Amino acid sequence: IEERFLMEEMEMIPAASVPLRSADGGARHGRPENPVPEKTDKKLSRRDLISERLLGLLLHLKNNLNELSEHLSYLPKPYFQVYETLAKQDNLALSNDLSELMASVSLRFSFDNQNLDPADLEKETKNLLRELKVEYLKEKRQEISDLIRKLEKAGDENSLKEALREFNVISNQLQNI
């Protein structure tokens, strides 16, 4: 498509008149140079992004969702609820928020992966399962680290010993992945 045709089409689209500054500092009207997105979603954690990608992969590849069963405890709650609904094949049980989440996962995956090879996607599924576990353990370790600081300040020796033991177990799990 030639740029000229695109420019003609853009001229036909009604634009909101927004006062802008020209290069010489004078005011002019037109479209902003860098438009702000209309809807800014909340920031997703790395674990959320991995969960979205993983569910998208499993849906796209039409894999058995039982492949995820060993890793369910690592999924954030909304993604776990989507998984449960998909496993039951009961899309009517989804709330509006979960329906939107599922639609977002499906749409984003379809858009990002139009030309990928299924063999590559299978490898990626395995990597994502591993990364999901790593991120879960990192978050858990951070929570325990915060708890350890609080317990040290409070002087609760028994609880501190238990928290340190749990911190050690999680750190060892992370090293052995």
Side-chain angles (χ1 to χ4, degrees):
I1 299 175
E2 291 184 33
E3 186 175 346
R4 176 178 55 109
F5 294 125
L6 292 174
M7 292 302 289
E8 289 173 3
E9 288 293 320
M10 283 179 48
E11 294 298 321
M12 286 188 236
I13 299 173
S17 183
V18 179
L20 301 173
R21 297 279 172 207
S22 63
D24 63 353
R28 63 183 177 90
H29 291 276
R31 291 194 176 136
E33 295 293 323
N34 295 320
V36 177
E38 290 179 21
K39 182 180 178 185
T40 51
D41 292 335
K42 64 178 184 170
K43 295 267 184 190
L44 295 176
S45 71
R46 180 165 161 75
R47 194 162 60 119
D48 288 331
L49 293 171
I50 291 169
S51 298
E52 273 190 16
R53 179 82 177 154
L54 193 54
L55 284 174
L57 274 168
L58 293 174
L59 290 172
H60 177 74
L61 295 173
K62 306 217 182 327
N63 281 6
N64 186 352
L65 291 175
N66 291 331
E67 188 173 332
L68 193 57
S69 61
E70 293 177 18
H71 296 80
L72 290 178
S73 61
Y74 308 134
L75 287 173
K77 186 177 179 179
Y79 300 96
F80 177 76
Q81 291 171 333
V82 168
Y83 168 84
E84 282 184 318
T85 303
L86 291 173
K88 293 177 192 171
Q89 296 181 345
D90 182 15
N91 290 347
L92 298 176
L94 285 175
S95 68
N96 282 344
D97 290 343
L98 292 178
S99 285
E100 278 185 32
L101 177 63
M102 194 167 146
S104 168
V105 166
S106 180
L107 181 63
R108 184 174 295 148
F109 183 84
S110 296
F111 181 73
D112 290 343
N113 303 291
Q114 295 172 4
N115 300 322
L116 291 181
D117 181 38
D120 292 338
L121 295 177
E122 288 288 341
K123 287 180 190 175
E124 186 176 354
T125 300
K126 288 180 177 48
N127 288 337
L128 287 171
L129 288 170
R130 183 183 156 284
E131 288 299 316
L132 180 64
K133 183 175 182 178
V134 166
E135 287 304 313
Y136 172 80
L137 291 173
K138 283 181 181 178
E139 287 178 17
K140 190 76 171 161
R141 186 177 62 181
Q142 184 60 47
E143 289 172 12
I144 294 171
S145 178
D146 294 343
L147 176 65
I148 288 170
R149 282 190 206 102
K150 288 178 187 174
L151 292 173
E152 284 175 341
K153 286 181 183 177
D156 187 351
E157 292 297 319
N158 291 333
S159 298
L160 181 61
K161 283 181 185 178
E162 180 61 30
L164 285 169
R165 186 192 64 71
E166 193 173 342
F167 184 86
N168 246 355
V169 168
I170 290 174
S171 293
N172 287 335
Q173 286 177 341
L174 270 169
Q175 287 178 347
N176 295 328
I177 291 179

